Amino acid sequence: MKDNRNPLAEAIHYALGAGVLVGLAASAAPAFAQEQEEDAADLDRVQITGSRLSRVDIEGARPVNILTREDIERIGLSDIGEVLRQLPAITGSPLSTATNNGGDGSSLTSLRGMGPARTLVLINGRRSNGASDFSTMPIVMIERIEVLKEGASAIYGADAVAGVVNIITRTDFSGGQVQVQFGQSLETVNNPAGALRDEWKGTDGDLGRFSAIIGDVGPKGSYVMGAERTKQDPVFQGNLKGAQFQQALGGNLSNFPGCLESGDCNTNGGSSSSLGGFFVPFDFNTDEDGNFIGRLGSFTRDLDTGEIRPFVGSDAYNFAPVNFIQQPFTRTSVFAEGNYDLFDLDNGFTMNGFLEGRWSNRRSEQELAPTPLFIGIFDPGAPLDNGPGEGVPASNAFNPFGEDIVDLRRRVAEGRRRFEQDVVRTNITGGVRGDIGQALPTWTYEASFHWGRTNQTNTDFGQFVGANFRQAVGPSFFDDAGNAVCGTPENPIAGCVPMNLFGGFGSITQEMLDFAGAELVDRLDSTLTTISGGVSGDLFQLPAGPVGLALGYEFRDQKLNSIPDSGKATDSVTGNTFSKTEGDFEVNSWFAETNIPLLADLPFAHLLEVGAGVRYDNFSTIGDNTVFMVNGRWQPYRDLLIRGSFSEVFREPTIFNLFSPQGDSFPSFQDPCSNGIISDPDSNLFAGLTPEQQAQCRATGVPDGGFFQTNAQPRARVGGNPNLEPEEGETITFGFTFAPSQLPGLSLTVDYWDIDLDDPITVVDAEDVVNQCIFAGNQDFCNDITRDLTINPGEVISIVSQNRNAGSLTATGVDFDVSYTWSTDLGLFRARSLWTWLDEREGEILAGSGVDVAGEFSPGINGIAEGVFPEWSGYSTLDWSYADLGASIGWEWLSEVDNLGNPALGPVRRTQYWDLTGRYDTPWGTEVAAG
């Protein structure tokens, strides 16, 4: 088995090295199947994802992949998101339990690399609260997964931009089944960071899953209920071999004078916020008259000798080993669903009532490197007032320099920086469906109601209370007993515990952390209510067949309520803060779809038909919107099917796009209006600007000649924007399927696809907000910049970097699908190979910023997609079954990608993953599988 993709995908192959799956029900294991096999005698109509019309044939005009339950069990992974990400059509490295920094325990999927928000996830063809997060979805509940690989806004509404993932649950299950699965990595090593803290030693990443299901099918209805519990242990980056895991990459400290003077530059990267500290005394930044002239020296506490000496590159803190590469979590799910025939009248009218209920709880965790303190780096010439952002005074009891410290950086490795989530999700769906009767013998109806709620509690560890922290690092003294006391002998501060930032690792005690630290608890609640109804059937008969029609209505109401910890809401803690927000919107939708057979059973026209659909949505936030789609199928003869479709797509701003809380971020930033920066006092970017650009600087509050930039990470305000507009665009697919009758069991499918999206909802990086203002003269961006007008005139205080509509996104490529099934005396063999060629994946948010990331590993900024985008990706399987035995081989292949974020690191070479499984159906009804 394998780990999901990560930005350094070629090396992440720690995978689950061994697994055992035991069940009380035997099952076959076919290869990765695009279509279910169809009994030629069974002409029941079915509804396939991508259409609301039921039909006899399941090979429609739109490309759909189907994963059966047997496929899922054969792959053996415990996360449906992991299973889906093996499909070549899904790329871009969406969030998973291997996404630590920026992750929240969610498991998402992204068709065509267009982002999870542009892939609509349904359950039984209906929207469901939190359905896009597969981390709380029990595998035992799933019958099959249908993946529509093109836009479908005219059928399903907003969000179906790149495609649709439809989870079909088990309904016709009789009996009972218990499954037990265990997995473990066989490739872990001891984490070197474990020498500092036992908690960082790590584990072998054990994974356990237990599930049970019971059900029955009767003459008038059926029921299914079950439960699943999954637990995964953590793996740290330091538990994996290789510098790409155990060493911080992509940076250097060559701009620090200590590094240049000693020649000991750490070109592997790391953080100047180190275990021994990084100190710049005020005296070393002034001339004889006391005027600030730039950094002349930086110092640290030697961890071996305990002496104060110049800071050198090798003192940089290696933050990589203590980040999770596999997050720990536990998740518990229970579900139940049933249906019962309420009416079956003589006139053919029938009514079947159905009810579905799902409850889940996920407890997940992320751990980043310990909290980095950056104190000062603001205005070295201004008086200090004993607080973070203004330096550490000479009167601090632990300050060994006897001078004010204008720049102090220290890694608080005595504590841990963790983020925990407790997510409870409840969904209830009920409704009725049936046949209308003899008056309209082919017509069916369905009406349903859905209510879903997610309650998420987030707990942050490792932040500090601002007021307490300022006291702890401000003036302090030693009393007669040798105890450090906050304040001055004349005005001691009762209850305060001074913090020793100068003594190197181990000098910060638990008492110090307890006084200055904070455990912060936030709450995020979201609710979805949906009412929908529709009818479908045949309008009339043409020579080539019946004309089908589907009509429907849907009402949707979404609410979001974000309640931050009071410390964050009042900006009284360190780290990122945000305020309370809440919002809601409603949408009323009407839709129609038709299919018209034009020719049938004629020379060069075994089948020719066209379909069309239209949808009208009226939003309480963005107004109304109408989209349509058209598709067609042509079979010149029975063995060849040619198909194509055109769809208008749109994506409404989600409840999170609109109303997610306004929070803080502190991105790296270099101001083009500065005449020097603290790491390079001689730089003068302002002097290199044109007169027009210099005028733009002055218009935003920069004085003549520029200003000296002392803050390399200004506050950026991020979050929702209630003024967003919808995204709009088109998708095109064209392809064919060839299944030669001379070679039964063989099928070849090729599909070309194209996605163009205008005004995508995105976030523009803080630095480029300023660049667009200064270099492009865009006043909308200038209005988002706030500069200091008093202490250090011109210094950026804050930048608005919230969600906005800008630019365009495009993606094009070709899908290939070859399958062959054959039977021999040695058993049944099924082979399948899916491949995708990504020709282009480009985003242009700012003028001239468009970058094609096909074939790249991209860090993601300003509309450029984030993740891994190999030009070629494929997944092939070979499955064998004979009597009670079976075995499968899975092969995933990713082509080489270049490192767009840091070309100096070189490309990530082509990568292969092999999945090997074997199974045996025992005589007593238990299947045992290992892989």
Side-chain angles (χ1 to χ4, degrees):
M1 304 178 191
K2 52 154 270 191
D3 174 42
N4 70 312
R5 302 178 195 113
N6 184 274
L8 293 176
E10 65 90 15
I12 300 180
H13 190 197
Y14 70 92
L16 296 177
V20 177
L21 177 65
V22 180
L24 296 183
S27 61
F32 230 90
Q34 181 181 14
E35 300 88 25
Q36 295 175 297
E37 294 186 2
E38 181 180 350
D39 188 338
D42 183 5
L43 298 181
D44 289 343
R45 293 184 174 220
V46 296
Q47 190 176 100
I48 294 295
T49 303
S51 174
R52 295 185 182 273
L53 293 168
S54 299
R55 53 194 306 149
V56 172
D57 54 334
I58 64 174
E59 182 63 50
R62 319 190 78 178
V64 177
N65 284 157
I66 296 179
L67 291 174
T68 67
R69 174 162 189 79
E70 289 77 11
D71 294 329
I72 297 170
E73 290 184 342
R74 173 185 52 76
I75 294 171
L77 297 174
S78 64
D79 184 332
I80 290 299
E82 296 268 5
V83 174
L84 286 168
R85 284 190 288 272
Q86 290 189 320
L87 287 171
I90 293 175
T91 188
S93 303
L95 288 182
S96 71
T97 62
T99 308
N100 185 49
N101 191 352
D104 61 358
S106 301
S107 178
L108 308 178
T109 190
S110 173
L111 277 164
R112 310 304 189 194
M114 296 293 286
R118 299 181 183 95
T119 298
L120 177 63
V121 179
L122 306 173
I123 297 182
N124 294 324
R126 309 179 195 95
R127 291 174 181 263
S128 181
N129 180 270
S132 61
D133 179 9
F134 297 102
S135 69
T136 55
M137 192 170 295
I139 288 180
V140 69
M141 176 187 77
I142 298 173
E143 178 65 28
R144 68 182 184 276
I145 304 175
E146 299 175 353
V147 181
L148 174 66
K149 301 182 295 182
E150 68 171 17
S153 294
I155 305 299
Y156 299 110
D159 310 334
V161 174
V164 177
V165 175
N166 190 9
I167 307 293
I168 309 299
T169 61
R170 303 170 80 174
T171 55
D172 298 329
F173 178 82
S174 295
Q177 184 184 65
V178 173
Q179 288 186 325
V180 179
Q181 180 176 346
F182 173 77
Q184 185 182 80
S185 171
L186 303 180
E187 301 179 75
T188 56
V189 297
N190 292 328
N191 187 357
L196 292 181
R197 300 185 66 97
D198 288 341
E199 300 93 332
W200 289 336
K201 289 181 179 178
T203 71
D204 290 328
D206 292 358
L207 172 70
R209 179 169 69 92
F210 173 85
S211 63
I213 185 172
I214 61 172
D216 192 22
V217 178
K220 299 201 65 163
S222 64
Y223 78 89
V224 175
M225 61 180 61
E228 186 167 285
R229 169 83 169 182
T230 305
K231 183 178 186 297
Q232 177 173 281
D233 289 341
V235 175
F236 288 96
Q237 286 187 210
N239 290 131
L240 304 181
K241 297 178 181 178
Q244 65 270 35
F245 298 110
Q246 297 193 355
Q247 177 62 53
L249 300 175
N252 64 72
L253 302 176
S254 60
N255 56 356
F256 296 137
C259 168
L260 296 177
E261 293 168 4
S262 67
D264 183 15
C265 296
N266 179 5
T267 57
N268 284 327
S271 171
S272 59
S273 179
S274 64
L275 296 177
F278 176 98
F279 316 114
V280 179
F282 180 79
D283 184 57
F284 292 98
N285 288 264
T286 59
D287 59 19
E288 294 179 355
D289 298 324
N291 299 314
F292 175 72
I293 59 173
R295 170 176 289 140
L296 297 180
S298 52
F299 298 85
T300 190
R301 175 80 67 177
D302 192 294
L303 297 179
D304 295 323
T305 66
E307 300 295 326
I308 294 290
R309 59 165 173 77
F311 185 97
V312 295
S314 59
D315 293 322
Y317 176 69
N318 179 18
F319 49 80
V322 296
N323 284 262
F324 287 141
I325 193 68
Q326 174 176 289
Q327 300 172 29
F329 67 80
T330 58
R331 57 191 186 214
T332 305
S333 305
V334 295
F335 62 92
E337 59 181 280
N339 67 88
Y340 188 77
D341 292 335
L342 302 174
F343 301 107
D344 189 355
L345 305 181
D346 293 338
N347 63 2
F349 178 82
T350 64
M351 179 178 289
N352 177 270
F354 61 91
L355 183 65
E356 304 170 4
R358 298 183 299 278
W359 179 92
S360 63
N361 174 233
R362 164 169 57 84
R363 296 175 181 267
S364 51
E365 180 182 336
Q366 299 80 49
E367 178 151 357
L368 303 182
T371 302
L373 294 179
F374 290 84
I375 305 175
I377 323 177
F378 186 74
D379 183 15
L384 305 181
D385 64 359
N386 309 331
E390 294 82 20
V392 178
S395 57
N396 181 282
F398 302 107
N399 186 342
F401 294 95
E403 298 284 347
D404 293 335
I405 304 300
V406 296
D407 183 352
L408 184 150
R409 312 177 192 186
R410 169 72 150 80
R411 186 70 58 161
V412 189
E414 293 88 344
R416 301 173 68 189
R417 185 165 46 146
R418 296 184 296 120
F419 307 87
E420 295 180 357
Q421 300 84 37
D422 187 346
V423 183
V424 176
R425 188 165 285 145
T426 305
N427 284 281
I428 300 174
T429 303
V432 294
R433 58 197 169 201
D435 299 325
I436 292 179
Q438 296 174 357
L440 297 169
T442 64
W443 284 75
T444 61
Y445 68 92
E446 178 175 307
S448 65
F449 169 84
H450 170 82
W451 178 86
R453 185 175 180 86
T454 297
N455 304 112
Q456 179 166 335
T457 302
N458 302 319
T459 306
D460 296 1
F461 302 87
Q463 291 200 41
F464 295 97
V465 179
N468 289 7
F469 187 81
R470 281 190 290 272
Q471 291 179 349
V473 302
S476 55
F477 64 97
F478 289 102
D479 63 14
D480 294 338
N483 299 314
V485 180
C486 297
T488 64
E490 298 77 19
N491 295 293
I493 302 175
C496 174
V497 180
M499 181 174 289
N500 183 0
L501 301 178
F502 296 91
F505 175 72
S507 66
I508 300 176
T509 66
Q510 188 61 48
E511 185 183 16
M512 296 174 184
L513 293 175
D514 291 341
F515 172 73
E519 179 180 315
L520 308 177
V521 180
D522 312 320
R523 186 175 179 86
L524 183 68
D525 301 326
S526 64
T527 305
L528 170 67
T529 303
T530 303
I531 300 173
S532 61
V535 296
S536 67
D538 297 337
L539 278 178
F540 53 85
Q541 191 78 20
L542 291 177
V547 175
L549 178 67
L551 302 170
Y553 164 80
E554 181 181 83
F555 167 80
R556 180 158 43 102
D557 176 80
Q558 289 189 258
K559 293 181 172 65
L560 176 71
N561 187 21
S562 173
I563 306 172
D565 187 278
S566 59
K568 293 183 180 181
T570 58
D571 283 329
S572 59
V573 295
T574 60
N576 297 351
T577 63
F578 60 90
S579 57
K580 181 182 185 299
T581 59
E582 60 182 323
D584 67 279
F585 71 84
E586 298 176 351
V587 56
N588 289 275
S589 305
W590 292 263
F591 54 85
E593 182 186 358
T594 186
N595 186 73
I596 305 172
L598 302 177
L599 300 172
D601 300 322
L602 297 174
F604 300 104
H606 177 73
L607 172 69
L608 178 62
E609 63 182 23
V610 296
V614 62
R615 184 181 181 102
Y616 171 80
D617 297 284
N618 191 299
F619 294 86
S620 60
T621 51
I622 60 175
D624 57 359
N625 189 81
T626 302
V627 291
F628 77 94
M629 66 89 177
V630 60
N631 58 59
R633 293 196 306 162
W634 174 40
Q635 280 185 269
Y637 61 102
R638 185 180 297 272
D639 296 355
L640 178 64
L641 169 67
I642 300 172
R643 62 189 179 191
S645 65
F646 170 84
S647 298
E648 290 185 323
V649 295
F650 83 105
R651 183 172 83 86
E652 91 223 30
T654 67
I655 193 77
F656 293 95
N657 293 148
L658 294 167
F659 305 115
S660 61
Q662 295 283 321
D664 288 336
S665 177
F666 297 89
S668 298
F669 170 77
Q670 184 167 321
D671 199 320
C673 297
S674 65
N675 56 27
I677 57 178
I678 198 166
S679 60
D680 186 6
D682 295 329
S683 67
N684 190 342
L685 301 180
F686 184 88
L689 300 178
T690 67
E692 293 78 10
Q693 293 164 352
Q694 292 178 353
Q696 283 292 118
C697 290
R698 290 191 291 269
T700 65
V702 176
D704 290 339
F707 74 100
F708 189 88
Q709 180 183 345
T710 62
N711 188 0
Q713 290 184 285
R715 173 176 301 198
R717 203 66 174 169
V718 299
N721 180 0
N723 298 316
L724 291 172
E725 297 293 330
E727 306 174 347
E728 298 182 348
E730 301 87 29
T731 68
I732 298 173
T733 63
F734 179 80
F736 69 88
T737 295
F738 178 60
S741 54
Q742 298 88 345
L743 192 58
L746 176 65
S747 175
L748 168 65
T749 298
V750 179
D751 287 299
Y752 167 83
W753 49 269
D754 181 286
I755 303 173
D756 289 289
L757 195 63
D758 295 324
D759 297 321
I761 298 169
T762 188
V763 175
V764 178
D765 179 77
E767 183 169 304
D768 277 282
V769 170
V770 177
N771 289 342
Q772 279 294 295
C773 169
I774 304 306
F775 296 111
N778 190 320
Q779 190 59 41
D780 289 339
F781 288 96
C782 295
N783 295 336
D784 290 337
I785 305 168
T786 301
R787 294 185 182 273
D788 181 22
L789 302 178
T790 57
I791 298 176
N792 186 22
E795 185 89 72
V796 169
I797 296 177
S798 67
I799 300 171
V800 177
S801 186
Q802 65 185 17
N803 298 330
R804 68 177 76 211
N805 297 93
S808 63
L809 296 177
T810 59
T812 60
V814 180
D815 292 337
F816 304 87
D817 183 352
V818 181
S819 63
Y820 185 44
T821 301
W822 71 101
S823 180
T824 71
D825 294 339
L826 299 178
L828 180 66
F829 293 85
R830 304 169 189 259
R832 185 76 184 276
S833 188
L834 303 174
W835 290 83
T836 292
W837 172 51
L838 182 62
D839 177 45
E840 180 185 61
R841 171 63 176 89
E842 182 172 335
E844 181 174 281
I845 300 304
L846 307 175
S849 68
V851 174
D852 183 5
V853 297
E856 304 282 352
F857 157 46
S858 167
I861 188 173
N862 298 334
I864 302 173
E866 178 180 7
V868 177
F869 298 87
E871 288 189 7
W872 284 95
S873 56
Y875 190 79
S876 302
T877 61
L878 175 62
D879 185 84
W880 165 79
S881 57
Y882 181 79
D884 296 330
L885 297 174
S888 297
I889 299 176
W891 174 50
E892 183 174 10
W893 191 89
L894 305 172
S895 63
E896 180 180 279
V897 294
D898 294 324
N899 194 322
L900 186 64
N902 194 334
L905 292 178
V908 178
R909 59 190 172 91
R910 64 180 182 273
T911 304
Q912 302 178 69
Y913 300 103
W914 293 92
D915 299 329
L916 309 175
T917 60
R919 59 188 182 273
Y920 171 59
D921 291 329
T922 66
W924 55 88
T926 298
E927 180 186 88
V928 179

